[in-house]
């Protein structure tokens, strides 16, 4: 087993680059010939030259991965998602009938979309309440229904893509969780 000079990770003898930090692993003969970082810094201190702690940097940086807290796709089995994409989209397309069908299929992926569709239906009912107020209420209701129509299209596309994300705007409303 070789040991990475940069991070101390143990790697197989056949590996050329460290699997932890990406630094090139040199053969054992070259490693023995080169002084370690600690030995070099001790020699530099004794000689009075400045010591740079992080002189050797990995040739690449690990990519920053952003995990969306509202994305629950990884919680579901890939086969469940592949088999039930249409049932997930049916929840949004056919409203109550789609929700009933999805609950009859009874898989975790379809239950997730059925719950989202129920939240969506409650949001539509709440958006219709201001319509009792003439003119201004009609305007607010029209704009809210337009926004919810766009959210519905997003939900259908996500369900057909096999994603299980909380709906925008609706997922942020506290009592609908």
């Amino acid at each position: 087993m070789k040991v990475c000079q940069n991070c101390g990770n143990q790697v197989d003898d056949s590996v050329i680059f460290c699997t932890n930090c990406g630094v090139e692993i040199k053969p054992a003969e070259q490693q023995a010939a080169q002084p370690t970082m600690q030995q070099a810094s001790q020699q530099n201190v004794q000689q009075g030259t400045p010591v740079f702690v992080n002189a050797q940097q990995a040739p690449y940086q690990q990519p920053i991965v952003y995990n969306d807290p509202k994305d629950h796709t990884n919680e579901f089995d890939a086969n469940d998602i592949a088999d039930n994409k249409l049932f997930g989209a049916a929840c949004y397309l056919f409203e109550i009938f789609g929700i009933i069908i999805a609950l009859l299929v009874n898989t975790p992926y379809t239950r997730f979309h059925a719950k989202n569709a129920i939240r969506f239906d409650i949001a539509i009912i709440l958006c219709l309440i201001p319509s009792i107020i003439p003119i201004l209420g009609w305007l607010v209701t029209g704009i809210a229904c337009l926004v919810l129509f766009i959210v519905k299209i997003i939900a259908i596309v996500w369900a057909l893509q096999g994603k299980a994300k909380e709906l925008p705007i609706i997922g942020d409303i506290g009592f609908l969780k």
Side-chain angles (χ1 to χ4, degrees):
M1 296 286 287
K2 294 180 188 176
V3 177
C4 176
Q5 294 257 336
N6 188 40
C7 67
N9 186 31
Q10 290 187 348
V11 293
D12 290 336
D13 291 333
S14 61
V15 175
I16 298 172
F17 295 97
C18 177
T19 56
N20 187 33
C21 67
V23 172
E24 183 179 2
I25 305 290
K26 298 178 180 155
E29 303 86 37
Q30 288 181 358
Q31 282 184 358
Q34 287 184 339
T36 63
M37 187 72 133
Q38 190 176 20
Q39 292 171 348
S41 64
Q42 287 175 357
Q43 289 174 356
N44 288 340
V45 168
Q46 290 172 355
Q47 295 172 357
T49 54
V51 177
F52 298 103
V53 177
N54 218 359
Q56 187 178 14
Q57 207 172 27
Y60 67 93
Q61 296 292 327
Q62 294 291 330
I64 297 173
V65 178
Y66 173 72
N67 292 328
D68 186 6
K70 295 183 179 187
D71 188 0
H72 302 282
T73 307
N74 293 334
E75 298 173 11
F76 302 106
D77 182 38
N79 292 332
D80 179 24
I81 293 173
D83 293 342
N84 298 304
K85 287 180 186 179
L86 290 177
F87 292 116
C91 296
Y92 306 108
L93 286 171
F94 304 119
E95 302 295 329
I96 299 299
F97 298 114
I99 293 169
I100 292 170
I101 291 170
L103 291 175
L104 289 175
V105 172
N106 198 25
T107 65
Y109 183 72
T110 56
R111 281 194 306 260
F112 176 84
H113 284 291
K115 289 177 188 175
N116 266 351
I118 290 169
R119 289 183 192 120
F120 180 81
D121 291 342
I122 292 171
I124 284 186
I125 292 170
L126 292 176
C127 284
L128 294 176
I129 292 173
S131 66
I132 60 173
I133 302 169
I135 301 171
L136 183 61
W138 300 336
L139 183 67
V140 169
T141 300
I143 292 170
C145 287
L146 181 65
V147 168
L148 286 177
F149 179 72
I150 293 169
V151 169
K152 184 176 188 173
I153 292 172
I154 291 170
I156 293 168
V157 169
W158 281 349
L160 292 174
Q161 287 178 344
K163 295 181 181 176
K165 292 185 175 184
E166 293 178 20
L167 297 178
I169 301 170
I170 297 169
D172 293 335
I173 301 173
F175 67 91
L176 294 179
K177 292 185 178 194

